[in-house]
């Protein structure tokens, strides 16, 4: 039996359903605009979706299919998934930890795709002149991070690799902007953060990488959608993922041009933005069983640490589009 690639399955679904939209919209003389649908997308500066938004290929594709596209910016993944949970957006891209926290909080979400792992794109930083030279040196220190973000799990596993427990450090929950300010003032001893914020701190204030995700965590980026939207408009979702994948492929081949898009978003020189871009993986694909297993292991760990209130079944929140 011939194997069909995940990307081709998405493309087939998008093409079939796009044709259906046109047929339904014009049936009986009903104008297409009367049948217009909408997708509301959450994005963060420096993310793949920020490049998709700037390039405009998703907007163009869905506009041709009678779908309105709107964009809402968020400072980080947890806040984005809060927006999804209250119904202000339909889809967004976040790190690997936010969907676990959101699912545990009762959000009706669905994993609809992931980008390749990017362990170098998250790290634990210390000031350039810090006496902390190893992960074991974090014992008793104060570490800033955005609660429920991808680096929350990074800190858990990094401490474990350094022979420490999560309770051996004092955690300060701060947004990236507030954490940067606290880090510069010396109010915290270390900062767990992702790129481009991490790359910016390295370049601008000489922050030193104590450890990144290499050998510790995978750091997947996940595309997360509201289940009601997925159930109602799977064809819109499939078409949007095709457009996102197109931009992901483009970024992989044009990283300097992608960096030129990201740089003004985060107020950095193109050279620094290029470092951030190079540390991520690009191209969205459906979740494999190995990826689901990884997320389940994370959810189990966070539950054991009492960081989430209940055990989760991650597989129950994974989109399984029809072949």
């Amino acid at each position: 039996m011939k194997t069909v690639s995940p990307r081709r399955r998405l493309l087939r679904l998008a093409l079939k359903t796009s044709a259906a939209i046109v047929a339904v919209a014009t049936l009986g003389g009903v104008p297409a605009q009367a049948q217009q649908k909408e997708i509301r997308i959450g994005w963060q500066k420096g993310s793949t979706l920020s490049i998709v938004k700037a390039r405009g290929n998703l907007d163009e594709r869905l506009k041709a299919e009678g779908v309105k596209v709107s964009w809402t910016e968020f400072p980080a993944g947890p806040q984005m998934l809060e927006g999804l949970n209250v119904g202000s957006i339909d889809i967004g891209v976040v790190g690997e930890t936010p969907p676990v926290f959101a699912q545990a909080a009762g959000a009706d979400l669905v994993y609809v795709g992931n980008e390749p792992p990017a362990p170098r794109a998250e790290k634990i930083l210390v000031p350039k002149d810090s006496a902390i030279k190893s992960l074991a040196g974090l014992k008793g220190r104060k570490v800033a991070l955005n609660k429920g973000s991808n680096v929350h799990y990074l800190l858990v596993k990094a401490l474990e690799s350094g022979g420490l427990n999560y309770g051996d450090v004092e955690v300060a929950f701060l947004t990236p902007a507030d954490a940067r300010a606290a880090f510069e003032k010396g109010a915290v001893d270390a900062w767990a953060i992702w790129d481009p914020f991490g790359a910016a701190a390295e370049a601008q204030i000489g922050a030193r990488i104590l450890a990144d995700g290499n050998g510790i965590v995978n750091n997947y980026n996940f595309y997360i959608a509201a289940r009601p939207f997925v159930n109602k408009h799977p064809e819109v979702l499939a078409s949007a993922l095709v457009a996102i994948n197109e931009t992901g492929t483009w970024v992989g081949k044009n990283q300097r041009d992608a960096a030129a898009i990201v740089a003004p978003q985060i107020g950095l020189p193109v050279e620094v933005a290029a470092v951030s871009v190079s540390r991520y993986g690009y191209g969205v694909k459906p979740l494999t069983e190995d990826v689901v297993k990884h997320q389940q292991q994370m959810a189990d760990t966070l539950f054991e640490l009492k960081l989430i209130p209940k055990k989760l079944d991650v597989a129950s929140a994974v989109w399984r589009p029809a072949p």
Side-chain angles (χ1 to χ4, degrees):
M1 180 181 293
K2 184 178 179 181
T3 300
V4 180
S5 70
R7 182 180 179 187
R8 189 171 295 276
R9 289 204 305 270
L10 286 174
L11 183 58
R12 284 181 179 177
L13 178 57
L15 290 173
K16 288 191 295 184
T17 51
S18 295
I21 292 171
V22 174
V24 171
T26 56
L27 185 63
V30 179
Q33 57 268 30
Q35 301 294 326
Q36 188 178 63
K37 300 171 184 177
E38 180 180 13
I39 184 170
R40 300 164 301 165
I41 304 173
W43 68 287
Q44 300 176 57
K45 290 176 180 176
S47 69
T48 301
L49 283 181
S50 74
I51 302 172
V52 173
K53 180 177 184 293
R55 293 188 74 221
N57 66 307
L58 184 150
D59 296 72
E60 291 176 5
R61 179 188 182 94
L62 293 184
K63 181 180 179 181
E65 297 172 359
V67 180
K68 178 183 177 182
V69 180
S70 60
W71 298 83
T72 302
E73 183 186 345
F74 292 87
Q79 293 87 340
M80 185 181 298
L81 291 189
E82 287 175 13
L84 185 143
N85 191 35
V86 300
S88 62
I89 61 170
D90 303 308
I91 185 173
V93 62
V94 298
E96 58 189 4
T97 312
V100 170
F101 277 85
Q103 187 182 3
D108 196 12
L109 58 80
V110 183
Y111 293 81
V112 297
N114 68 272
E115 292 176 344
R120 294 173 57 241
E122 60 176 358
K123 66 268 306 164
I124 298 172
L125 299 176
V126 293
K128 59 183 177 182
D129 56 354
S130 173
I132 301 172
K133 304 299 182 183
S134 68
L135 288 167
L138 289 174
K139 187 171 184 177
R141 304 297 187 123
K142 182 182 285 189
V143 183
L145 60 84
N146 194 89
K147 184 177 182 180
S149 66
N150 58 336
V151 293
H152 204 152
Y153 188 62
L154 169 66
L155 179 63
V156 169
K157 300 304 287 184
L159 290 172
E160 183 181 294
S161 72
L164 302 178
N165 297 315
Y166 183 73
D168 288 331
V169 300
E170 179 184 352
V171 180
F173 294 130
L174 299 170
T175 64
D178 290 339
R180 167 75 182 254
F183 185 79
E184 289 194 57
K185 290 189 299 184
V188 297
D189 301 296
W191 180 20
I193 189 59
W194 60 92
D195 288 329
F197 302 106
E202 292 172 61
Q204 295 171 334
I205 59 175
R208 175 164 53 87
I209 299 176
L210 185 66
D212 63 22
N214 261 329
I216 300 176
V217 294
N218 288 327
N219 190 32
Y220 291 104
N221 270 337
F222 289 104
Y223 289 85
I224 306 295
R227 190 185 299 271
F229 176 81
V230 174
N231 291 341
K232 188 176 182 181
H233 301 300
E235 75 289 345
V236 177
L237 173 61
S239 191
L241 290 174
V242 169
I244 292 167
N245 201 41
E246 288 172 354
T247 284
T249 300
W250 178 86
V251 173
K253 298 176 180 178
N254 301 275
Q255 291 201 358
R256 181 76 180 186
D257 292 334
I261 292 173
V262 169
Q265 295 176 2
I266 52 181
L268 292 175
V270 173
E271 291 73 17
V272 178
V275 172
S276 174
V277 170
S278 71
R279 289 172 174 169
Y280 281 98
Y282 300 95
V284 61
K285 58 184 178 181
L287 277 67
T288 65
E289 293 307 315
D290 283 344
V291 174
V292 175
K293 181 179 179 181
H294 166 80
Q295 282 299 97
Q296 186 64 56
Q297 290 173 339
M298 180 193 301
D300 293 343
T301 297
L302 296 177
F303 174 71
E304 290 165 6
L305 290 171
K306 296 182 171 55
L307 291 174
I308 58 174
K310 62 183 180 181
K311 290 184 70 68
L312 300 179
D313 177 15
V314 171
S316 68
V318 176
W319 185 43
R320 311 283 187 184

